[in-house]
Amino acid sequence: MADQPSFDRMWDELGPVGRSAATGGYRRFAWTRTDHDLREWFAGQAAARGLSLVPDRAGNQWAWWGEPSSGRPGLAIGSHLDSVPDGGAFDGPLGVVSSFAAVDDLRQQGFQPRRPIGIVNFGDEEGARFGIACAGSRLITGALAADRARALSDADGTSMAAAMRASGLDPDSVGADREALDRIDCFVELHVEQGRGLVELGRPVAVGSQIWPHGRWRIELPGEANHAGTTRLADRRDPMLAYARLILAAREAAERRDSVATMGKVTVFPNGVNAIPSQVTAWLDARGPDAEQVLAVVAELHALTGEAGGSLLQESWTEATAFDPGLADRVRAVLPDAPVLSTGAGHDAGILANAGIPSAMLFVRNPSGVSHSPAEHAERSDCHAGVRALTSVVAGLAG
């Protein structure tokens, strides 16, 4: 089998890119120098295999073995290379590296695909810089309007349009890309599991069944800047108090409604040790198996925000995504011993599925269940098992 040396070589090459020496985590953000290096790595892997590199209107990269057309769409595999702040090595890159390794393995076996096979690197999947998860796949499917995307800005005030332009992509050309979507007959995304389901089952690989409904909201809490030493407590308008109440309320509401809610990002102005803040901006991430319950959690926080004189605005929302039953049956037929798991994490596969493209997912065991952290991990033997599973799926779907 070619998967082991091929996978190991690519994994070792990619490992240093964007890694923080201080934390060991990764800071691979969209439309940055690190992102450029990752894209160059992807392009180099495509060139080394003689694959045709085709970017789409959002800057996502597609490396094709065979030429897809409207009458001959292909099987797409892959994932993303960007990360959350100080994220782990596996979330995203495992799927991309495994896809190249699967193609290597198929070629070593002398496999001749009956349809084109494409490997994709979706851009800005995590939304770490501009706040919208799966921006690359949302853009080409039309789930994210081009004008809204161009106007998004990062913490330094740089717009997505300006960042794209600085990276060589014309932001005026960004938008829904029917031509790119017409090249895809179906999509299979391999990803590290972001929980402990496979650990508890004692299995290295699973087939995904669905993605929970999930969304992000921005909360604005006004206050009054004042001196920390001379302002009596009774005279203060401190928005941090409202923020603290919201954190506790989010946890309590999520527990009552079998959901999860996280407030992991906040900006405080003027952010001084000896100054009462005049403004707090915070972000809420809420998810769960039942959309009605998730939105009920958000409604409770919306009411509390209003009582504090603030606002709660939706930035993104994705309904529950059940993967295509027909494709899922075909994947399970190739991997009959693999368990079936749902996930609370959003993925590009979910965006494509919601756009009507049959999609499926494979999950590789994460022994700690920790993700979006430097502690995220998968044993090398399980990574190889994932490559073998993906290779079998691709052979079954494209042979």
Side-chain angles (χ1 to χ4, degrees):
M1 300 288 283
D3 58 279
Q4 294 187 21
S6 173
F7 179 93
D8 293 349
R9 182 182 65 255
M10 288 185 286
W11 195 255
D12 292 342
E13 288 176 0
L14 197 58
V17 182
R19 181 189 288 158
S20 167
T23 67
Y26 288 86
R27 303 182 71 81
R28 296 166 167 169
F29 302 152
W31 310 115
T32 60
R33 177 67 206 190
T34 298
D35 185 55
H36 170 80
D37 292 343
L38 293 166
R39 290 170 179 274
E40 285 293 297
W41 177 88
F42 184 91
Q45 296 301 319
R49 292 163 175 80
L51 307 180
S52 300
L53 186 64
V54 183
D56 61 30
R57 291 185 61 195
N60 304 309
Q61 295 172 291
W62 302 82
W64 284 102
W65 178 10
E67 296 298 328
S69 64
S70 57
R72 189 171 173 258
L75 162 66
I77 56 179
S79 192
H80 63 95
L81 293 174
D82 65 308
S83 76
V84 298
D86 288 311
F90 294 83
D91 182 354
L94 180 62
V96 175
V97 173
S98 296
S99 295
F100 280 118
V103 166
D104 292 342
D105 195 15
L106 289 168
R107 285 180 162 178
Q108 187 187 61
Q109 295 175 32
F111 177 80
Q112 295 298 320
R114 299 181 64 181
R115 67 166 82 180
I117 298 172
I119 300 173
V120 62
N121 168 31
F122 280 111
D124 204 7
E125 193 271 353
E126 297 292 2
R129 184 177 181 189
F130 297 103
I132 301 293
C134 299
S137 54
R138 288 181 192 273
L139 274 167
I140 62 167
T141 59
L144 174 60
D147 285 344
R148 183 186 177 198
R150 286 188 283 261
L152 294 170
S153 60
D154 64 13
D156 296 325
T158 301
S159 70
M160 183 181 282
M164 286 176 167
R165 187 176 292 109
S167 299
L169 179 67
D170 179 7
D172 295 330
S173 69
V174 168
D177 194 334
R178 190 68 250 173
E179 183 179 353
L181 297 178
D182 285 344
R183 298 189 189 105
I184 312 165
D185 178 64
C186 59
F187 176 56
V188 178
E189 181 174 7
L190 179 144
H191 203 280
V192 69
E193 191 193 2
Q194 295 174 287
R196 291 183 52 82
L198 282 168
V199 174
E200 293 168 356
L201 292 169
R203 307 298 288 277
V205 179
V207 177
S209 59
Q210 70 164 348
I211 296 174
W212 288 359
H214 56 281
R216 293 182 182 184
W217 291 261
R218 187 179 76 253
I219 298 169
E220 303 285 356
L221 297 169
E224 181 179 61
N226 216 326
H227 196 289
T230 61
T231 310
R232 297 180 302 179
L233 293 179
D235 295 335
R236 298 182 180 208
R237 290 181 54 214
D238 187 348
M240 290 298 287
L241 298 179
Y243 175 55
R245 293 188 188 104
L246 285 171
I247 293 173
L248 295 175
R251 174 62 179 259
E252 293 166 1
E255 285 181 334
R256 281 188 277 105
R257 298 186 178 276
D258 192 28
S259 301
V260 292
T262 306
M263 297 182 70
K265 180 179 178 181
V266 61
T267 60
V268 180
F269 186 83
N271 204 30
V273 174
N274 60 348
I276 300 165
S278 62
Q279 181 76 23
V280 169
T281 302
W283 282 263
L284 166 71
D285 180 300
R287 314 167 188 234
D290 185 287
E292 186 174 322
Q293 295 300 314
V294 175
L295 294 175
V297 171
V298 177
E300 290 189 35
L301 299 180
H302 188 279
L304 288 174
T305 303
E307 291 173 8
S311 62
L312 185 150
L313 303 172
Q314 180 179 296
E315 290 195 333
S316 67
W317 171 253
T318 304
E319 293 286 352
T321 303
F323 293 120
D324 183 80
L327 180 59
D329 287 344
R330 295 175 70 187
V331 172
R332 286 196 292 269
V334 176
L335 304 173
D337 296 329
V340 178
L341 297 175
S342 64
T343 179
H347 299 282
D348 293 305
I351 304 302
L352 295 190
N354 285 331
I357 295 173
S359 301
M361 291 195 72
L362 302 178
F363 296 119
V364 173
R365 178 167 50 193
N366 177 344
S368 69
V370 174
S371 188
H372 284 188
S373 155
E376 179 181 88
H377 184 64
E379 295 294 338
R380 191 60 60 94
S381 59
D382 286 349
C383 294
H384 295 160
V387 174
R388 290 191 292 273
L390 181 61
T391 302
S392 297
V393 168
V394 172
L397 296 176

